[in-house]
Amino acid sequence: MAMPLRQSIRVGTYLFEQKLRKREKFPLIVELEPLFACNLKCEGCGKIQHPAGVLKQRMPVAQAVGAVLESGAPMVSIAGGEPLMHPQIDEIVRQLVAKRKYVFLCTNAVLLRKKMDKFTPSPYFAFAVHIDGMRERHDESVAKEGVFDEAVEAIKEAKRRGFRVTTNSTFFNTDTPQTIIEVLNFLNDDLKVDEMMLSPAYAYEKAPDQEHFLGVEQTRELFKKAFAGGNRRRWRLNHSPLFLDFLEGKADFPCTAWAIPNYSLFGWQRPCYLMSDGYVPTYRQLIEETDWDKYGRGKDPRCANCMAHCGYEPTAVLATMGSLKESLRAARETVAANRG
């Protein structure tokens, strides 16, 4: 796990505090969506399917920051839509960083070079660039030529200016172990991004493309082969070792979607950003009034093929904290990654 040591200590301390307070449900990271509008039409995303009136809305800064503070989470992932289209996105980031929240601004990077001057490098801030494959594959997934090349140039420029840069890659049933290896080698070795996150594609109900999502067995076989030959240890993957075990079928976990709640223009979304069973105005209502036990593989048919990090990474993190052996394993990998 390539999480910076300072961040690892902060998150570990936070988890220990929750245990001391005997809290059963608490957030690790909030997924904040201050808008749904986007400048791309990715085949695996349905956010821009909202009505035109909704796509024109922008969340006020105070509302966005207030939601994160209400939850108490130590980290926030700002997504959308494309957050760089929000006219006050830099102020949202600035205020969250001032509150010592670890902020990941998820972006397709089309606007990144134009907007980069609005941001300041900080150990609490990172650009999280969406990269789903090498040039042809990535441009096909976002339905626009030239996006891969622009994203690569933006990553290089951000790194040159001293920003932390992470990437987020979603893989589909059209991927092979080799296509995964190629893009992660490129990100890890050539672009030298700080961290990489990956996830099997989940059948998001509003996505235009419903034919290319992965099943559980396909996911396990795909990542087992991609991780072979020492790749998993060599890549700077921003995941707990147990979650990587989960992806390749060495471990299985229940879903803990409550640990990565989603807050958007509509409020707190039940149960996660991939499924919408209604919204509530407060974080407390989300936690206390949602029947969490009815979700997850084997419980809700919509969850049958889901192995997404938003549901299972927190379970792996909590399992790590509950095991001395796994805690030491994660600590060793964190230290090794930071030395590298």
Side-chain angles (χ1 to χ4, degrees), residues 221-338:
E221 189 66 19
L222 185 65
F223 286 105
K224 182 179 180 180
K225 292 179 178 178
F227 289 160
N231 285 331
R232 173 176 154 174
R233 182 176 295 276
R234 184 173 60 81
W235 290 329
R236 291 182 296 279
L237 298 174
N238 186 22
H239 293 290
S240 64
L242 277 180
F243 179 72
L244 299 177
D245 287 350
F246 169 76
L247 285 183
E248 56 178 311
K250 294 179 179 178
D252 202 9
F253 301 112
C255 174
T256 49
W258 47 262
I260 306 185
N262 173 273
Y263 185 79
S264 71
L265 293 166
F266 299 144
W268 294 98
Q269 182 173 331
R270 291 173 170 159
C272 65
Y273 85 98
L274 293 168
M275 292 167 55
S276 181
D277 283 355
Y279 299 83
V280 291
T282 70
Y283 173 73
R284 183 172 181 177
Q285 285 177 274
L286 175 73
I287 295 301
E288 296 182 355
E289 298 177 11
T290 303
D291 184 1
W292 298 102
D293 291 335
K294 73 178 185 181
Y295 296 105
R297 283 185 288 116
K299 298 178 180 180
D300 188 315
R302 295 173 297 177
C303 304
N305 289 314
C306 181
M307 295 182 71
H309 62 87
C310 64
Y312 295 97
E313 176 77 82
T315 325
V317 171
L318 295 173
T320 299
M321 290 294 294
S323 165
L324 177 60
K325 177 182 177 181
E326 292 300 334
S327 294
L328 291 174
R329 177 190 179 195
R332 286 195 300 269
E333 294 196 14
T334 297
V335 172
N338 280 274

Side-chain angles (χ1 to χ4, degrees), residues 29-266:
I29 183 169
V30 169
E31 293 187 335
L32 177 68
E33 296 178 325
L35 80 172
F36 292 130
C38 191
N39 47 7
L40 293 177
K41 299 179 180 179
C42 299
E43 293 297 316
C45 175
K47 296 295 183 179
I48 62 170
Q49 304 300 320
H50 289 292
V54 173
L55 294 178
K56 292 179 181 178
Q57 295 180 34
R58 305 291 183 264
M59 187 181 293
V61 173
Q63 181 182 346
V65 175
V68 177
L69 298 182
E70 176 194 4
S71 75
M75 300 180 287
V76 55
S77 173
I78 305 178
E82 170 52 54
L84 289 178
M85 292 176 64
H86 193 297
Q88 295 175 293
I89 190 61
D90 56 320
E91 182 61 18
I92 293 175
V93 169
R94 189 193 67 78
Q95 290 194 26
L96 289 171
V97 167
K99 297 292 185 181
R100 299 182 66 190
K101 303 294 183 183
Y102 285 93
V103 180
F104 297 85
L105 193 154
C106 302
T107 176
N108 56 40
V110 171
L111 297 173
L112 184 51
R113 286 198 287 177
K114 296 178 182 178
K115 303 284 187 176
M116 205 175 296
D117 287 338
K118 301 178 73 173
F119 300 92
T120 303
S122 165
Y124 290 96
F125 176 67
F127 290 114
V129 180
H130 172 213
I131 299 287
D132 279 352
M134 297 303 288
R135 181 181 291 106
E136 182 178 352
R137 192 165 198 82
H138 180 72
D139 286 355
E140 180 182 8
S141 75
V142 301
K144 187 175 181 179
E145 291 185 6
V147 175
F148 177 84
D149 289 338
E150 179 58 37
V152 167
E153 292 306 312
I155 288 171
K156 291 178 179 178
E157 178 63 13
K159 292 285 291 179
R160 187 187 69 79
R161 296 193 190 192
F163 287 99
R164 287 186 61 226
V165 180
T166 70
T167 54
N168 186 8
S169 302
T170 303
F171 298 109
F172 297 80
N173 67 9
T174 50
D175 278 292
T176 66
Q178 188 57 36
T179 63
I180 294 176
I181 290 169
E182 286 175 358
V183 69
L184 294 183
N185 276 346
F186 176 72
L187 296 172
N188 190 84
D189 302 336
D190 297 332
L191 289 187
K192 301 186 185 301
V193 301
D194 294 280
E195 302 162 356
M196 299 177 292
M197 189 166 68
L198 47 85
S199 185
Y202 168 77
Y204 184 68
E205 62 182 359
K206 291 185 177 180
D209 181 359
Q210 290 290 321
E211 298 179 6
H212 297 119
F213 293 106
L214 286 161
V216 171
E217 292 307 317
Q218 285 179 298
T219 296
R220 290 170 174 166
E221 189 66 19
L222 185 65
F223 286 105
K224 182 179 180 180
K225 292 179 178 178
F227 289 160
N231 285 331
R232 173 176 154 174
R233 182 176 295 276
R234 184 173 60 81
W235 290 329
R236 291 182 296 279
L237 298 174
N238 186 22
H239 293 290
S240 64
L242 277 180
F243 179 72
L244 299 177
D245 287 350
F246 169 76
L247 285 183
E248 56 178 311
K250 294 179 179 178
D252 202 9
F253 301 112
C255 174
T256 49
W258 47 262
I260 306 185
N262 173 273
Y263 185 79
S264 71
L265 293 166
F266 299 144

